[in-house]
Amino acid sequence: MATPSGKAAPPNPQVSKRSLPRDASSEVPSKRKNSNPLPTLPRPSGTFVEGSIVRIAMENFLTYDICEVSPGPHLNMIIGANGTGKSSIVCAICLGLAGKPAFMGRADKVGFFVKRGCSKGLVEIELFRTSGNLIITREIDVIKNQSFWFINKKPVTQKIVEEQVAALNIQVGNLCQFLPQDKVGEFAKLSKIELLEATEKSVGPPEMHRYHCELKNFREKEKQLETSCKEKTEYLEKMVQRNERYKQDVERFYERKRHLDLIEMLEAKRPWVEYENVRQEYEGVKLIRDRVKEEVRKLKEGQIPMTRRIEEIDRQRHTLEVRIKEKSTDIKEASQKCKQRQDLIERKDRQIKELQQALTVKQNEELDRQKRISNTRKMIEDLQSELKTAENCENLQPQIDTVTNDLRRVQEEKALCEGEIIDKQREKEMLEKQRRSVSDHITRFDNLMNQKEDKLRQRYRDTYDAVLWLRNNRDRFKQRVCEPIMLTINMKDNKNAKYVENHISSNDLRAFVFESQEDMEIFLREVRDNKKLRVNAVIAPKISYADKAPSRSLNDLKQYGFFSYLRELFDAPDPVMSYLCCQYHIHEVPVGTERTRERIERVIQETRLKQIYTAEEKYVLKTSVYSNKVISSNTSLKVAQFLTVTVDLEQRRHLEEQLKEMNRQLEAVDSGLAALRDTNRHLELKDNELRLKKKELLERKTRKRQLEQKISSKLASIRLMEQDTCNLEEEERKASTKIKEINVQKAKLVTELTGLVKICTSFQIQKVDLILQNTTVISEKNKLEADYMASSSQLRVTEQQFIELDDNRQRLLQKCKELMKKARQVCNLSADQAVPQEFQTAFQDLPNTLDEIDALLTEERSRASCFTGLNPSVVVEEYSKREVEIQQLTEELQGKKVELDEYRENISQVKERWLNPLKELVEKINEKFSNFFSSMQCAGEVDLHTENEEDYDKYGIRIRVKFRSSTQLHELTPHHQSGGERSVSTMLYLMALQELNRCPFRVVDEINQGMDPINERRVFEMVVNTACKENTSQYFFITPKLLQNLPYSEKMTVLFVYNGPHMLEPNRWNLKAFQRRRRRITFTQPQ
């Protein structure tokens, strides 16, 4: 027996248990119980609360054959290993006190609680009572699945047992009192309403829950009465309103009749008024027609003189127009003759001008010839002077030869330099072509790398964004930082990519590799914290594993079909390779072929490798610690996704080196070309200088001959210009003679033109006079025609007016006849009968105009139309019947309101008796609950929660807790807090109820399983301090284990539960003998 270490004295065990195999047909009949009862163990000392459990006896119950438990009056710790039967004692308490099997959460039939192989079982509970203990016995029949009840050995019904248990305020179905192992999690799932009900039943006064139920019933009745009163009030209001409407309908009926009589009289008078209006209109139209007829006659007589005068004016105008046309013809002929003479005069002026211009040209030509002769003679004099001063040219030939030789040497050097430039340019073109080829090859490698980056971007966008950030910020890191492993790995053969991808986890494939912890922290702070990107990062080992040799040579493994280790299948930077060797041991994992798969059993037994790959499978091998056997598991390889793109990084580096070398060579070629071009420019300048010098010497040598040729040429030009002379005086005389002749002809033409102009002017004056006469005649005619047209227009209008007036007269005459006939028909009068006096009297009070009659008629019809659908007899009958119904409803509604007031008064009284004690009770629970949490450096509170004070079925207890100072108080729910936090909160709430002490005992089964050691120790101390106080209810605390160095109290009872085939039978259990034996062993031990 294990005794927990602590300052308190070791507790005394009070449980004896024997588990023996029995025959399947063994039974424990009730008579056996009476003749040979179970042995009674010594009971703990102390004061029991009314209803506490004094003894628990079980027979063929779950794991027990025969067992009796004597708990103490205060805290009872039931301890034992899992499966020994601790919870069986809890089940015995529940079922023995008329609890339902479903309360346990284990089975729904009571027969399942009988030990397997037995047909009957028994549970006996002895409860403390001041008037005498109450012994409740329950026999369970498995076959019939029913129970037999006994109280103090007398058969009773289950209902009587339930009444006796309830009288002691025992509630095994209340989680605040009875919390079995399988229901611990249910406590946190209790709603606020359920928790309030359980608390009321557990620690409240007996009448508190009854008052709550009464309040809920009263409130429900109140709601029903309020609804009924509201409905009846609305119905009564509708009835009153409808009757008021019917009362008005009677009055409206008679009012409608008055309107209809007035409409009838208005309709009778209207035709007579209409006839009188038309008759008066006829008389007026007739008078106007006669006046218009006389006006037409006068207009026709006034048009005759105007017609005669217009005809006379037309004849006069025709004569004048003929004379005007004759004068126009004469004027046209005279104008044509004037035009001919004028054209001849202009032609003579042009001839004189041409002669003057020709003379001027000849004068200018002569002046220009004299000037050219003078200039040429001056030039000859200058050339002769220069010819005299020219030096002897025979001494210039040696200088010309020297310059010619220098020029030939410079040209040879220049040709050689240009040849070297062409060679350099060809070399440059060849290097640029090679560089483009290498660059294209590198671009193809980069495109393959871009394919890998595209896959990374599509699958892991955050990692891709982090790669872009790293490439732009490499200068921020002190040591080397490698991009994600999947980008840096380069497969030598892409068909082997599946082995690497199946071996390395996807998290590490997208991880960045760092050589420095400081660099990794900078990277993660920027990428994870600031940019909120989800990325992975690892640190390469400080000591490189990249070149670490495998433990076994590959040659030794080739016989099994292995062709390589994983490390040799790809290239990677040294930090990446070092990390993979350290983390995944890729230098120790061989890769095989289908041949390896065929010999897999032999490979497993002989090689003792931990991991191997075949063509399509991965094998993981482990050696059992117990049997030293090799256990293997195999999985099919997944298809590679990321590493299938192969980039030969070594070749790419080689190409980059070639590219650098070509760039260096191109720079050297460019510098050589620049030097050659400078040399060529220098030779070009020298060549130009020599050419100029040679040209100058040659020009000096040929200058004399050139001067002599120019002088001879100029002398010849002077001779030609002197021969081409002109006699200006003769030319001027000839021109003057011709001009005089032309002026004589011109004077004769001017005289003829003057005579013709006078004749034309005379004709124009005569024509103007005729036009003025014609204009006067036309003006008079237009005036007469305008007057005639105005008179004709007036005549037409007047005639049309006469026709219309005559037509209107005929129409009005016919209409008068029709209206007279219609009016007599309306009044039922014959053609020769006079209008009766009664009609005349009635017509005098009515309007005398059609508009007033129509307006009044429309108004009366509208009023009468509002009274349609009336039935006087039906209206009066319904009105009376509804008056009686309104009276009955009023009396019934008054009775309902009185009943509602009574219920409200009852609610007010019961609410005061229920709510105030409940608030005090919750305040006490909150005080103890808060103190318990404060002692644990946490916070918790309990309050009474409701959304509406009148909804008594919505009242509940709310538990709010917080276990960390940085958080707020949160309501206890199955989801917000952890399992351990819920267990602590549940336990502290039950302890807060413990001291209120209305229920006789509480049971908590294995609630400390989810707690951490600190909370478990704190809770245990509180349980001991609370449950071991005087006048507190009995407490059962079941647990499979306890921490070391826990505090214990003298008032505790520790019940150890052991199980096994070698346990003593209960009748052989002698505690005093065991204690004496223990003392003897202690005394005989050496000091």
Side-chain angles (χ1 to χ4, degrees):
M1 181 184 298
T3 301
S5 60
K7 295 180 181 180
N12 297 324
Q14 299 294 332
V15 176
S16 65
K17 178 178 180 182
R18 176 171 59 87
S19 179
L20 299 175
R22 287 192 173 190
D23 187 76
S25 62
S26 63
E27 298 180 358
V28 183
S30 60
K31 63 180 182 178
R32 176 171 175 254
K33 286 296 174 184
N34 296 329
S35 60
N36 188 17
L38 294 174
T40 302
L41 297 177
R43 294 178 181 173
S45 61
T47 303
F48 284 91
V49 178
E50 186 83 5
S52 298
I53 298 175
V54 177
R55 180 175 59 84
I56 306 168
M58 296 164 283
E59 187 172 343
N60 295 334
F61 186 79
L62 291 175
T63 60
Y64 293 101
D65 291 330
I66 298 174
C67 180
E68 182 175 304
V69 179
S70 296
H74 298 291
L75 177 59
N76 291 274
M77 302 287 297
I78 302 177
I79 305 173
N82 290 329
T84 57
K86 303 184 303 302
S87 297
S88 299
I89 300 174
V90 178
C91 295
I93 294 174
C94 178
L95 296 180
L97 296 176
K100 293 181 174 57
F103 292 165
M104 309 277 76
R106 290 193 172 191
D108 56 351
K109 293 182 179 180
V110 70
F112 291 147
F113 289 88
V114 176
K115 186 174 183 180
R116 184 175 297 178
C118 299
S119 59
K120 288 185 179 180
L122 179 141
V123 176
E124 188 171 273
I125 308 291
E126 183 177 351
L127 301 176
F128 176 79
R129 205 165 54 174
T130 54
S131 61
N133 288 358
L134 183 69
I135 301 174
I136 300 175
T137 306
R138 181 174 189 173
E139 287 188 3
I140 304 170
D141 191 326
V142 177
I143 298 174
K144 296 180 180 180
N145 191 35
Q146 63 181 3
S147 301
F148 301 95
W149 296 91
F150 301 88
I151 294 181
N152 295 332
K153 310 303 181 182
K154 294 179 182 180
V156 292
T157 63
Q158 182 175 348
K159 185 175 181 181
I160 295 175
V161 174
E162 291 175 350
E163 291 174 354
Q164 292 286 342
V165 170
L168 294 172
N169 198 31
I170 298 173
Q171 305 165 21
V172 293
N174 189 341
L175 294 182
C176 290
Q177 181 176 344
F178 194 88
L179 193 61
Q181 177 181 356
D182 295 321
K183 292 287 186 177
V184 171
E186 296 293 329
F187 185 86
K189 296 180 183 178
L190 287 177
S191 66
K192 295 187 284 289
I193 299 170
E194 294 170 340
L195 184 59
L196 173 60
E197 184 177 352
T199 304
E200 286 178 339
K201 292 178 181 179
S202 177
V203 297
E207 67 276 3
M208 179 176 285
H209 183 255
R210 177 168 55 81
Y211 286 156
H212 193 185
C213 294
E214 288 178 3
L215 274 175
K216 289 190 281 188
N217 294 332
F218 285 156
R219 177 58 180 160
E220 187 64 29
K221 286 286 186 180
E222 182 187 17
K223 288 181 179 178
Q224 293 175 1
L225 286 172
E226 287 176 347
T227 304
S228 177
C229 289
K230 183 179 179 182
E231 291 175 352
K232 290 184 181 299
T233 302
E234 292 176 353
Y235 183 65
L236 180 60
E237 291 175 354
K238 291 180 181 178
M239 295 287 287
V240 171
Q241 292 173 2
R242 192 178 302 170
N243 224 25
E244 286 295 326
R245 289 197 300 272
Y246 276 21
K247 184 177 179 181
Q248 296 172 0
D249 288 347
V250 176
E251 298 174 356
R252 290 169 64 233
F253 173 77
Y254 292 105
E255 187 178 353
R256 178 176 178 272
K257 189 173 184 307
R258 288 194 299 271
H259 290 304
L260 292 176
D261 293 342
L262 181 58
I263 290 170
E264 183 179 358
M265 194 55 64
L266 286 169
E267 289 176 346
K269 182 177 180 179
R270 191 181 190 286
W272 291 102
V273 174
E274 191 174 358
Y275 164 75
E276 183 63 23
N277 291 339
V278 174
R279 190 190 66 78
Q280 292 177 1
E281 185 180 358
Y282 168 76
E283 293 295 336
V285 169
K286 181 179 178 183
L287 183 62
I288 295 170
R289 183 194 70 112
D290 295 340
R291 187 170 62 251
V292 171
K293 183 177 180 182
E294 181 63 22
E295 188 178 350
V296 169
R297 186 187 62 79
K298 290 179 179 180
L299 287 173
K300 287 182 179 180
E301 290 177 355
Q303 282 185 341
I304 295 173
M306 285 189 289
T307 304
R308 292 173 181 172
R309 178 58 183 164
I310 289 171
E311 291 175 353
E312 182 181 349
I313 289 173
D314 283 338
R315 289 193 295 272
Q316 186 179 356
R317 187 174 65 84
H318 179 70
T319 303
L320 289 172
E321 287 178 352
V322 170
R323 292 178 63 189
I324 289 170
K325 286 181 180 179
E326 291 175 354
K327 292 299 178 183
S328 296
T329 303
D330 295 339
I331 290 169
K332 185 176 181 182
E333 292 176 354
S335 297
Q336 288 178 352
K337 292 179 181 179
C338 289
K339 182 69 171 62
Q340 293 173 357
R341 300 298 186 276
Q342 190 173 2
D343 291 341
L344 290 172
I345 292 170
E346 290 177 354
R347 192 177 299 118
K348 297 300 180 182
D349 289 338
R350 285 198 296 273
Q351 290 177 358
I352 293 171
K353 191 174 182 179
E354 288 174 358
L355 289 171
Q356 291 174 347
Q357 288 177 352
L359 180 62
T360 301
V361 169
K362 289 181 180 180
Q363 290 174 349
N364 292 336
E365 287 178 352
E366 181 62 22
L367 291 174
D368 184 61
R369 186 179 69 81
Q370 294 294 334
K371 187 177 180 180
R372 284 190 282 113
I373 290 172
S374 175
N375 291 336
T376 303
R377 285 176 177 167
K378 187 176 180 180
M379 288 174 64
I380 290 172
E381 290 175 357
D382 293 339
L383 290 173
Q384 289 175 348
S385 176
E386 184 179 356
L387 182 62
K388 291 177 182 179
T389 59
E391 63 180 357
N392 190 4
C393 297
E394 293 179 0
N395 299 328
L396 295 176
Q397 188 60 40
Q399 297 180 20
I400 293 172
D401 294 339
T402 303
V403 171
T404 301
N405 293 332
D406 292 342
L407 182 62
R408 188 182 300 109
R409 179 179 53 79
V410 168
Q411 288 178 346
E412 290 176 356
E413 292 179 359
K414 182 180 175 184
L416 182 62
C417 183
E418 289 176 350
E420 291 179 358
I421 288 173
I422 292 171
D423 293 340
K424 288 289 184 183
Q425 287 177 343
R426 289 175 181 173
E427 183 181 358
K428 181 179 178 180
E429 290 175 359
M430 182 181 66
L431 287 172
E432 286 179 343
K433 184 177 181 181
Q434 292 176 356
R435 184 176 66 176
R436 283 195 297 272
S437 176
V438 172
S439 297
D440 292 342
H441 206 165
I442 291 174
T443 302
R444 287 195 293 273
F445 278 117
D446 291 340
N447 290 337
L448 293 176
M449 200 65 187
N450 290 337
Q451 292 179 18
K452 297 175 75 173
E453 292 177 3
D454 286 342
K455 290 183 178 181
L456 178 65
R457 177 175 55 81
Q458 293 170 7
R459 186 71 178 274
Y460 306 110
R461 184 55 187 259
D462 285 0
T463 305
Y464 176 77
D465 293 341
V467 170
L468 299 181
W469 182 89
L470 175 64
R471 291 175 180 175
N472 294 328
N473 296 274
R474 286 191 179 276
D475 55 340
R476 298 180 61 178
F477 302 102
K478 297 179 180 179
Q479 297 188 27
R480 186 176 183 182
V481 180
C482 296
E483 293 182 358
I485 293 177
M486 67 172 61
L487 296 180
T488 56
I489 284 180
N490 182 49
M491 300 301 302
K492 297 178 180 178
D493 189 345
N494 57 9
K495 69 181 181 181
N496 295 325
K498 59 184 178 181
Y499 302 119
V500 179
E501 286 196 24
N502 278 273
H503 192 73
I504 303 173
S505 70
S506 60
N507 286 335
D508 277 355
L509 277 176
R510 56 191 178 96
F512 294 80
V513 182
F514 294 82
E515 291 184 337
S516 166
Q517 179 72 27
E518 181 182 355
D519 288 347
M520 187 173 76
E521 290 176 357
I522 293 172
F523 176 80
L524 294 178
R525 183 168 58 251
E526 290 292 334
V527 175
R528 278 188 186 169
D529 300 341
N530 297 343
K531 294 185 174 297
K532 307 300 182 184
L533 300 178
R534 293 175 293 179
V535 298
N536 298 333
V538 297
I539 297 180
K542 294 183 178 179
I543 301 174
S544 177
Y545 285 75
D547 298 326
K548 188 175 181 180
S551 57
R552 299 187 61 171
S553 173
L554 184 63
N555 293 328
D556 298 339
L557 300 176
K558 286 186 177 179
Q559 57 178 319
Y560 304 110
F562 294 108
F563 63 88
S564 175
Y565 283 105
L566 274 179
R567 181 176 62 184
E568 277 66 43
L569 296 180
F570 62 89
D571 295 323
D574 188 72
V576 175
M577 189 67 79
S578 177
Y579 172 77
L580 294 178
C581 288
C582 177
Q583 187 69 22
Y584 290 95
H585 306 287
I586 57 175
H587 60 293
E588 297 283 0
V589 180
V591 181
T593 59
E594 192 62 34
R595 178 184 171 195
T596 310
R597 174 67 184 84
E598 294 171 357
R599 305 181 180 185
I600 192 63
E601 294 297 334
R602 180 184 168 193
V603 171
I604 292 172
Q605 297 300 326
E606 295 180 4
T607 60
R608 295 286 180 172
L609 294 168
K610 293 182 179 180
Q611 293 186 66
I612 59 175
Y613 284 90
T614 64
E616 297 297 334
E617 292 179 327
K618 173 184 178 181
Y619 285 83
V620 178
L621 311 177
K622 296 181 180 178
T623 303
S624 174
V625 178
Y626 301 100
S627 62
N628 204 27
K629 293 182 179 179
V630 177
I631 302 171
S632 66
S633 62
N634 64 313
T635 55
S636 298
L637 297 181
K638 298 178 183 178
V639 179
Q641 298 180 357
F642 298 105
L643 303 180
T644 53
V645 177
T646 302
V647 180
D648 191 344
L649 296 179
E650 186 62 33
Q651 185 179 356
R652 191 182 186 283
R653 283 194 294 271
H654 180 66
L655 290 172
E656 288 179 346
E657 291 175 358
Q658 287 184 358
L659 186 63
K660 290 179 181 177
E661 178 62 23
M662 290 176 184
N663 289 332
R664 187 188 61 76
Q665 292 178 3
L666 279 171
E667 290 176 358
V669 170
D670 287 339
S671 61
L673 269 174
L676 288 173
R677 287 194 178 105
D678 290 341
T679 303
N680 191 37
R681 281 195 297 273
H682 178 70
L683 292 174
E684 186 79 25
L685 291 173
K686 194 171 182 180
D687 180 75
N688 291 335
E689 290 176 357
L690 292 173
R691 286 178 182 275
L692 290 174
K693 189 174 182 180
K694 182 178 179 181
K695 181 179 179 182
E696 183 180 355
L697 292 172
L698 290 174
E699 286 177 351
R700 288 171 62 188
K701 183 178 179 181
T702 57
R703 184 63 177 167
K704 182 178 180 180
R705 185 169 61 253
Q706 291 175 350
L707 289 172
E708 291 174 349
Q709 291 176 353
K710 285 182 178 181
I711 291 171
S712 175
S713 174
K714 295 298 181 183
L715 290 173
S717 297
I718 289 174
R719 285 194 295 273
L720 290 174
M721 286 187 288
E722 288 176 346
Q723 291 175 2
D724 189 15
T725 59
C726 179
N727 189 353
L728 288 177
E729 293 179 357
E730 182 64 22
E731 293 294 332
E732 289 175 356
R733 186 183 60 76
K734 290 180 180 178
S736 177
T737 302
K738 290 183 180 179
I739 290 172
K740 286 180 181 180
E741 292 177 355
I742 292 171
N743 283 330
V744 172
Q745 296 173 1
K746 181 179 176 183
K748 184 179 180 180
L749 290 172
V750 169
T751 303
E752 293 177 356
L753 178 61
T754 303
L756 290 172
V757 168
K758 290 179 179 179
I759 294 170
C760 185
T761 302
S762 176
F763 288 157
Q764 288 286 358
I765 292 170
Q766 294 174 8
K767 180 180 178 182
V768 169
D769 184 53
L770 291 172
I771 290 172
L772 289 173
Q773 294 177 16
N774 189 38
T775 302
T776 302
V777 172
I778 291 172
S779 176
E780 184 180 0
K781 179 187 175 184
N782 290 340
K783 183 177 182 302
L784 288 171
E785 287 179 346
D787 293 341
Y788 182 82
M789 291 296 294
S791 177
S792 298
S793 176
Q794 185 177 1
L795 179 61
R796 283 194 302 273
V797 170
T798 306
E799 287 177 345
Q800 182 65 30
Q801 186 178 2
F802 172 77
I803 294 169
E804 291 176 355
L805 287 170
D806 192 58
D807 292 342
N808 195 16
R809 184 187 66 82
Q810 295 291 337
R811 180 181 60 78
L812 290 173
L813 179 61
Q814 184 65 28
K815 189 174 182 181
C816 284
K817 295 178 181 179
E818 293 175 356
L819 289 173
M820 174 60 76
K821 183 178 180 181
K822 180 180 177 181
R824 288 184 175 277
Q825 288 176 352
V826 170
C827 296
N828 296 321
L829 300 176
S830 60
D832 54 353
Q833 187 178 358
V835 179
Q837 185 62 37
E838 59 183 12
F839 279 101
Q840 294 179 10
T841 303
F843 287 167
Q844 289 177 0
D845 298 331
L846 297 178
N848 295 320
T849 64
L850 282 176
D851 292 339
E852 293 177 350
I853 291 174
D854 290 341
L856 183 59
L857 196 60
T858 302
E859 181 181 352
E860 292 300 320
R861 284 172 178 167
S862 299
R863 291 180 179 178
S865 65
C866 298
F867 301 95
T868 58
L870 294 177
N871 191 337
S873 60
V874 175
V875 168
V876 173
E877 182 181 354
E878 290 183 358
Y879 180 80
S880 302
K881 189 185 297 182
R882 199 170 288 110
E883 280 291 329
V884 175
E885 189 174 353
I886 288 171
Q887 183 65 29
Q888 293 175 352
L889 274 174
T890 304
E891 295 174 357
E892 185 177 349
L893 180 60
Q894 188 65 30
K896 290 287 185 183
K897 288 182 178 178
V898 172
E899 186 179 358
L900 178 60
D901 292 338
E902 292 175 356
Y903 267 104
R904 287 174 176 168
E905 181 64 27
N906 291 336
I907 288 173
S908 177
Q909 295 174 0
V910 176
K911 179 180 179 182
E912 185 176 356
R913 292 196 294 268
W914 169 75
L915 188 58
N916 293 335
L918 177 61
K919 288 182 178 178
E920 294 175 2
L921 178 64
V922 173
E923 185 61 34
K924 292 178 183 178
I925 296 172
N926 178 50
E927 181 180 357
K928 296 182 182 299
F929 187 76
S930 300
N931 291 338
F932 288 147
F933 261 89
S934 298
S935 65
M936 297 176 63
Q937 286 79 45
C938 300
E941 66 176 29
V942 177
D943 61 358
L944 187 63
H945 180 266
T946 182
E947 295 179 357
N948 185 2
E949 288 188 1
E950 302 301 325
D951 292 337
Y952 303 107
D953 55 342
K954 298 294 191 299
Y955 274 78
I957 286 181
R958 178 173 60 179
I959 301 176
R960 297 195 299 164
V961 295
K962 73 170 183 176
F963 290 86
R964 286 164 289 278
S965 60
S966 60
T967 61
Q968 300 293 326
L969 285 170
H970 289 284
E971 187 173 345
L972 181 65
T973 64
H975 312 293
H976 192 276
Q977 290 81 13
S978 65
E981 291 173 347
R982 292 199 300 271
S983 298
V984 170
S985 303
T986 303
M987 194 67 187
L988 295 185
Y989 185 78
L990 296 178
M991 287 167 55
L993 302 182
Q994 177 71 14
E995 294 185 6
L996 299 176
N997 193 21
R998 201 176 82 78
C999 60
F1001 64 87
R1002 283 188 173 81
V1003 177
V1004 179
D1005 189 0
E1006 296 192 17
I1007 198 171
N1008 60 332
Q1009 294 306 297
M1011 301 182 191
D1012 58 79
I1014 296 175
N1015 285 333
E1016 184 176 355
R1017 184 176 299 277
R1018 291 174 177 172
V1019 170
F1020 185 84
E1021 292 175 2
M1022 294 179 191
V1023 171
V1024 172
N1025 295 333
T1026 304
C1028 293
K1029 292 181 180 179
E1030 289 295 334
N1031 298 323
T1032 58
S1033 58
Q1034 194 178 31
Y1035 204 102
F1036 290 89
F1037 188 82
I1038 294 90
T1039 178
K1041 52 87 178 178
L1042 287 174
L1043 299 173
Q1044 294 182 355
N1045 300 322
L1046 291 175
Y1048 296 92
S1049 173
E1050 290 290 346
K1051 295 181 180 181
M1052 289 175 57
T1053 301
V1054 182
L1055 306 173
F1056 289 94
V1057 181
Y1058 289 94
N1059 193 0
H1062 304 294
M1063 293 297 296
L1064 288 175
E1065 295 184 9
N1067 53 9
R1068 296 177 57 190
W1069 184 269
N1070 190 336
L1071 184 58
K1072 292 182 180 179
F1074 296 154
Q1075 291 175 340
R1076 287 195 299 271
R1077 189 182 309 165
R1078 176 62 182 173
R1079 282 194 293 270
R1080 286 199 302 272
I1081 294 172
T1082 303
F1083 294 150
T1084 58
Q1085 287 180 353
Q1087 298 297 326

